[in-house]
Amino acid sequence: MMDMTVLAGAIDDVNQLSQKINDLLVGSVMSLMVVTAVVAAWAKTKSVVSAGVALVGGVALWFAVMNAAVFRDSVGEDIAPDSGTAKSAGTGYSVLRVIEPVPGDLR
């Protein structure tokens, strides 16, 4: 039984280490991308406004990447699985709409 406890502790340690490495890589790569975008915008246009827009866009993208799980879960809550036209047809049925071609339509 002691071997299982040690193995569970080792697996937990590896999971924590991989999470820290993932956070480090995401943070460093995203910060490098934001800095590169700001420098490229500044070098191309020599405009503070375009560099600021690149900074705001990069930070917004960084925020979206860091909170992707929150956005994914909120979409699942907003869309109810039983809403829509398929419910009115009953369980196990789907609604199919057939559109006939219009005479004279050459598409």
Side-chain angles (χ1 to χ4, degrees):
M1 191 64 161
M2 177 125 170
D3 292 336
M4 293 297 265
T5 304
V6 171
L7 183 60
I11 291 173
D12 188 43
D13 290 343
V14 169
N15 285 339
Q16 288 178 1
L17 180 62
S18 67
Q19 183 62 37
K20 287 180 181 180
I21 291 171
N22 186 32
D23 292 344
L24 176 69
L25 287 175
V26 168
S28 62
V29 168
M30 289 303 295
S31 61
L32 181 66
M33 287 176 58
V34 169
V35 168
T36 304
V38 171
V39 169
W42 172 257
K44 189 174 186 178
T45 62
K46 301 286 191 233
S47 169
V48 175
V49 174
S50 64
V53 169
L55 177 66
V56 170
V59 170
L61 180 63
W62 192 346
F63 178 78
V65 167
M66 296 303 289
N67 295 307
V70 174
F71 292 132
R72 179 196 63 215
D73 295 342
S74 69
V75 168
E77 293 170 0
D78 292 343
I79 300 173
D82 59 351
S83 65
T85 57
K87 183 179 179 192
S88 62
T91 306
Y93 295 96
S94 61
V95 176
L96 179 64
R97 181 177 173 200
V98 178
I99 300 174
E100 297 291 328
V102 178
D105 191 10
L106 300 177
R107 280 190 247 169

